[in-house]
């Protein structure tokens, strides 16, 4: 039986992304649950329905997870953890602030396009986290995500790459574009989520530039 | 009994905004229904609950509206109509493209802060419109709203106020900021919605400028 620490939010979570595509029972449960939560919200999906989607009995489901809350909070935490990992990996080798901001945004888009169900279950499900410790950990991860973008923008201001600007507002504008994109972007559409993210960054960064 | 044409989406809808604050029965019904729809969605609010919120019987409710769908579509259409009217009024006397875009954005924020329940009932409720004619009319109003912003940006590009840019993307970026703001902005917070809208416009327009 996976614990929250194993599956989702251990400090080294290298194993987590792989597990999303895994065929082991716990991975399948989390994937089917993410789909149901993303479609109907936390309240709209029952243990019975999750079991049905996996093709096991409700009783078997309880061999893997204590209750619906544990499944839900694992899905939310895995998603936020994955987003953070993608951002971390993709920005590591960038030189300029502009490159870091673009890599950050493309990582966000990659998470959306790779894991739409997890993305939405997490984006909408954060407010349904009930266990205070879990809520706090996820909140800290989300704050870390936003702070990372602010840090890149601040770096660009400090090194003269960007003009003096309201860093918090600039970060929020870009995150608004990325979050709103998630509401309308479709994989079958003409543009990849990553390309759209780059386009937004180039548009906004033109306003950040100091020259 | 008000018809849809009277209350909401007549081509001259000057009477509509006043009615939102009206004390006549139909206005009170629409206001209470907007609150319920914004909190629970179209599916989550029943005729019984709307009647209860107004303080009348369910039977009396049917004296005013044919069914829940008529109440809901009136709320959605009133909201979109009001948004369009605010945009129309506030941009009429602006000289430059930048001024028009700022007025447009402040009008959006004004609608949010004046009519939060209608705003959310409409933003979330559009997909629940069932009557094809009504759906089409609301869709056209929404398209007209977005097209207006694109027109202002295009005007700025054409007259040299802005550089050559992707007009559709630029409009979408600003609308993303405004729509996402609606998700987190609180009236009791430090900044008015209008001020925030202006801040976003100034940030983005710096990237549009041709100089």
């Amino acid at each position: 039986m996976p614990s929250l620490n194993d599956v989702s939010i251990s400090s080294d979570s290298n194993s987590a992304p792989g597990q999303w595509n895994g065929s082991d029972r716990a991975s399948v449960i989390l994937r089917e649950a993410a789909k149901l939560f993303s479609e109907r919200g936390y309240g709209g999906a029952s243990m019975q329905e999750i079991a049905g989607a996996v093709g096991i009995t409700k009783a078997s489901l309880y061999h893997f997870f204590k209750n619906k809350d544990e499944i839900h909070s694992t899905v939310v935490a895995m998603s936020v953890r994955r987003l953070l990992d993608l951002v971390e990996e993709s920005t590591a080798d960038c030189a300029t602030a502009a490159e870091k901001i673009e890599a950050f945004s493309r990582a966000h888009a990659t998470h959306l396009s790779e894991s739409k169900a997890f993305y939405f279950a997490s984006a909408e499900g954060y407010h349904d986290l009930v266990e205070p410790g879990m809520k706090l950990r996820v909140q800290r991860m989300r704050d870390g995500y936003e702070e990372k973008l602010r840090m890149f923008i601040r770096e660009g201001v400090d090194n003269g790459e960007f003009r003096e600007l309201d860093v918090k507002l600039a970060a929020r504008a870009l995150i608004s574009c990325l979050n709103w994109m998630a509401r309308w972007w479709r994989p079958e559409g003409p543009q990849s989520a990553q390309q759209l993210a780059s386009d937004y960054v180039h548009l906004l960064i033109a306003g950040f530039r100091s020259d």
Side-chain angles (χ1 to χ4, degrees), chain A residues 169-181:
Chain A
L169 184 79
R172 216 181 243 162
L174 187 51
I175 288 177
S176 299
C177 290
L178 297 172
N179 282 335
W180 199 251
M181 182 178 89

Side-chain angles (χ1 to χ4, degrees), chain A residues 176-196:
Chain A
S176 299
C177 290
L178 297 172
N179 282 335
W180 199 251
M181 182 178 89
R183 301 265 310 235
W184 57 265
W185 175 79
R186 295 286 169 273
E188 62 277 15
Q191 265 184 303
S192 73
Q194 287 88 344
Q195 185 53 54
L196 267 165

Side-chain angles (χ1 to χ4, degrees), chain A residues 28-203:
Chain A
V28 176
I29 292 170
L30 290 166
R31 212 157 59 225
E32 293 300 327
K35 269 189 229 161
L36 286 168
F37 292 141
S38 70
E39 287 160 11
R40 310 184 195 174
Y42 174 65
S46 68
M47 285 295 265
Q48 186 64 61
E49 286 165 315
I50 296 170
V54 178
I56 58 175
T57 65
K58 193 170 147 187
S60 307
L61 198 51
Y62 286 104
H63 291 228
F64 294 91
F65 294 96
K66 199 168 62 189
N67 50 33
K68 190 172 84 166
D69 181 52
E70 193 182 54
I71 301 180
H72 180 253
S73 56
T74 304
V75 164
V76 173
M78 278 174 76
S79 177
V80 182
R81 179 75 262 166
R82 176 68 178 148
L83 181 60
L84 268 182
D85 287 347
L86 279 169
V87 162
E88 201 72 53
E89 281 164 30
S90 61
T91 57
D93 296 327
C94 297
T96 66
E99 281 168 20
K100 287 174 194 172
I101 292 166
E102 182 166 1
F104 175 101
S105 304
R106 291 180 71 97
H108 183 114
T110 296
H111 181 48
L112 166 65
S113 53
E114 272 182 6
S115 326
K116 216 167 174 209
F118 279 86
Y119 183 101
F120 279 99
S122 166
E124 305 293 330
Y126 169 71
H127 296 288
D128 294 315
L129 292 176
V130 283
E131 203 270 299
M134 177 59 89
K135 193 156 192 154
L136 190 65
R137 287 158 82 185
V138 170
Q139 177 66 58
R140 282 199 185 129
M141 289 197 282
R142 285 167 52 118
D143 289 350
Y145 160 82
E146 190 155 348
E147 179 49 33
K148 210 160 184 66
L149 179 57
R150 288 183 192 167
M151 199 180 71
F152 296 149
I153 298 174
R154 207 175 291 122
E155 188 184 312
V157 173
D158 289 347
N159 72 15
E161 207 175 327
F162 303 151
R163 63 184 172 83
E164 281 295 328
L165 49 75
D166 182 337
V167 170
K168 203 172 152 189
L169 184 79
R172 216 181 243 162
L174 187 51
I175 288 177
S176 299
C177 290
L178 297 172
N179 282 335
W180 199 251
M181 182 178 89
R183 301 265 310 235
W184 57 265
W185 175 79
R186 295 286 169 273
E188 62 277 15
Q191 265 184 303
S192 73
Q194 287 88 344
Q195 185 53 54
L196 267 165
S198 286
D199 291 348
Y200 277 131
V201 168
H202 294 160
L203 180 79

